[in-house]
Amino acid sequence: MATFIQTLNPTPFGFFDADATFQTEADAMVVFVKRKLGDDILSVELTKKQIWACFEEACLEYSMLVNQAQAKSQLANLLGVETGSLSGAEQKYPRENIEFMLRRAEPYSIEAGLGGSYTALSGAIQLEQGRQDYDIYSELKDEAGNLIFSSSLNSPRGRMKIMEVFHFNPQAAYRFFDTTSAINYLNNEFAFESFTPETVFYILPVFEDVLRGGMLDMSQRVRRSNYSYKIVGTQLRIFPKPTQDNPKKLWLRVQFGSNPLDPPFEDNTIDGVSNLSNIPYGNIDYGKLNSISRHWIRQYCLALAKELLGLIRSKFSTVPIPGSDLTLNGSELVSQGREDQEKMREQLNVLLDELTYTKLLEDEAAASENLQKILRNIPVPNGRAIIIG
């Protein structure tokens, strides 16, 4: 009789044909399946190739279920990595990272003005005396005098979003430290004594400077025009109305809607792992599986073979024999085989769910809490041991 190694194309896909351990167990699996199905009493209508096909399918099923469970624990760490040949990351313990959380937080950092992945542009509007309203789409220009909205840098063009308007109240510090300001003299006269004119400073606590700066800032807010702006559509209205003969420029920082699949810089992670379908998980090597895994595969192979035998026997419900008909148990074998498969998959999924990294952390936290409770109840003389909690 031909062995597994001597047979040409022994399995349909050949994923494990080169595995020495799989080759050895394949021949033993034929004996195991046939004896479990009663071949010593009644011939089992299964060929070696059919049993080997069931063996291969059982390995693929186990590999798929384990990889699915592993993806629950590792997907966040593998997002963005190269997919490669879609294999090589199985059965590995990758280092943890927070790239997924940082990527999710990027939009919020952009809105807060603290960074992000999309380019922001700076431009200015030339203010005019007595004019409050300006069109940001037709008047906002870059340093070279080109319109920001029509610039080729903003392709494809879209809605322009204002991120920041550099229109602030004058800082109180200029009044606080300007030696030519009359307010400094008043501060000295009324016992504030922050410093005398020029550079002769008194040594005072820092809170004196903080309180005095706050007083000057509040004075500007209450007694002077408030600096603010309002944006409606394409119009920007500034307060107060410019009154200088030669007003300065008003600078803005703007941003255009960017394509999340085509950022302004080269980002290879966009083409990397994005979901369960392209995680670089290959089939698990049968030779690297432990006894727990191999036993599950053997039992699942038996369940597959039982279903297959039932399908074969179901083609003929009865077989005529001299003086009677022989009824075959095809439908019963099909039902039993499918029930066994479903039960085994369910049991394995429950076990794998309990072994995800998140679940392990929860179990460790519960164990630590229980340990502290136990240590609190241990009678130990004071000063002789470390008491937790």
Side-chain angles (χ1 to χ4, degrees):
M1 297 294 290
T3 63
F4 183 87
I5 300 178
Q6 297 169 344
T7 304
L8 181 64
N9 298 326
T11 61
F13 298 102
F15 291 135
F16 308 95
D17 289 357
D19 191 315
T21 307
F22 184 88
Q23 295 170 357
T24 302
E25 289 223 4
D27 293 323
M29 188 64 69
V30 174
V31 179
F32 171 72
V33 169
K34 286 199 170 188
R35 286 183 178 177
K36 291 291 288 185
L37 294 178
D39 185 65
D40 294 338
I41 305 299
L42 180 64
S43 177
V44 173
E45 302 85 26
L46 290 176
T47 66
K48 287 186 176 181
K49 283 192 173 183
Q50 289 175 323
I51 296 177
W52 291 335
C54 293
F55 188 26
E56 182 186 51
E57 183 180 351
C59 292
L60 292 174
E61 185 73 15
Y62 183 81
S63 181
M64 183 267 294
L65 293 175
V66 171
N67 284 339
Q68 282 183 353
Q70 194 72 353
K72 295 178 182 179
S73 298
Q74 297 183 351
L75 180 58
N77 298 319
L78 296 177
L79 288 173
V81 304
E82 294 183 3
T83 55
S85 59
L86 293 180
S87 64
E90 69 279 356
Q91 299 293 80
K92 292 186 177 180
Y93 181 38
R95 304 293 302 182
E96 296 286 335
N97 61 65
I98 59 172
E99 288 299 319
F100 174 69
M101 291 184 287
L102 292 177
R103 198 161 183 144
R104 296 286 293 179
E106 271 189 0
Y108 303 95
S109 66
I110 295 174
E111 294 299 324
L114 300 175
S117 299
Y118 301 126
T119 302
L121 304 176
S122 295
I125 296 176
Q126 180 61 56
L127 301 180
E128 299 177 7
Q129 183 180 15
R131 181 184 172 194
Q132 287 184 276
D133 297 332
Y134 301 87
D135 192 308
I136 58 176
Y137 282 81
S138 61
E139 299 185 64
L140 182 62
K141 300 179 181 180
D142 60 18
E143 188 176 2
N146 302 316
L147 286 175
I148 294 290
F149 184 68
S150 63
S151 174
S152 60
L153 295 175
N154 310 316
S155 179
R157 296 185 181 91
R159 174 176 174 267
M160 186 163 57
K161 183 177 181 181
I162 296 180
M163 304 301 295
E164 189 172 3
V165 178
F166 297 92
H167 188 56
F168 314 110
N169 291 332
Q171 295 295 325
Y174 92 98
R175 300 170 63 192
F176 188 48
F177 293 109
D178 185 4
T179 58
T180 64
S181 173
I183 295 181
N184 285 333
Y185 295 96
L186 294 175
N187 287 339
N188 290 325
E189 291 296 330
F190 287 98
F192 286 107
E193 296 181 353
S194 59
F195 54 83
T196 59
E198 304 301 333
T199 58
V200 182
F201 287 79
Y202 288 109
I203 300 178
L204 293 174
V206 175
F207 73 84
E208 288 275 352
D209 296 338
V210 175
L211 292 175
R212 190 173 303 107
M215 179 274 295
L216 295 174
D217 185 63
M218 182 60 69
S219 174
Q220 289 189 164
R221 290 178 178 270
V222 174
R223 297 190 174 101
R224 297 193 174 194
S225 298
N226 186 32
Y227 279 67
S228 62
Y229 61 90
K230 181 186 297 183
I231 301 173
V232 180
T234 63
Q235 297 295 313
L236 170 67
R237 170 170 289 190
I238 64 171
F239 302 92
K241 183 186 299 183
T243 58
Q244 301 94 332
D245 295 336
N246 185 23
K248 297 181 180 180
K249 291 182 178 180
L250 176 65
W251 288 89
L252 293 82
R253 187 166 59 88
V254 299
Q255 192 174 82
F256 289 84
S258 300
N259 185 350
L261 297 179
D262 187 21
F265 57 91
E266 184 177 356
D267 186 4
N268 295 327
T269 62
I270 291 178
D271 299 318
V273 173
S274 59
N275 53 62
L276 180 64
S277 67
N278 56 7
I279 297 179
Y281 284 166
N283 295 317
I284 299 175
D285 293 338
Y286 186 80
K288 295 181 180 180
L289 297 178
N290 57 21
S291 61
I292 301 174
S293 305
R294 294 185 188 182
H295 180 73
W296 189 94
I297 290 174
R298 296 185 192 109
Q299 294 299 320
Y300 198 81
C301 176
L302 176 61
L304 290 171
K306 187 181 297 184
E307 179 188 8
L308 179 58
L309 179 61
L311 292 173
I312 294 173
R313 291 182 177 179
S314 295
K315 294 180 179 180
F316 305 96
S317 58
T318 59
V319 177
I321 58 176
S324 181
D325 291 332
L326 177 64
T327 302
L328 301 179
N329 61 341
S331 59
E332 182 179 350
L333 288 173
V334 171
S335 178
Q336 289 180 1
R338 291 175 178 174
E339 288 178 2
D340 291 344
Q341 294 170 42
E342 180 64 25
K343 183 178 179 180
M344 292 184 65
R345 284 195 299 266
E346 183 179 353
Q347 291 176 344
L348 181 59
N349 282 325
V350 170
L351 177 61
L352 292 174
D353 286 341
E354 293 178 353
L355 297 178
T356 59
Y357 296 169
T358 302
K359 184 63 177 177
L360 292 177
L361 287 175
E362 294 176 358
D363 293 342
E364 286 296 319
S368 176
E369 183 178 352
N370 292 333
L371 179 60
Q372 292 185 32
K373 292 179 180 179
I374 294 174
L375 292 176
R376 290 193 190 102
N377 296 324
I378 297 178
V380 179
N382 292 333
R384 299 292 182 86
I386 298 175
I387 305 299
I388 299 177

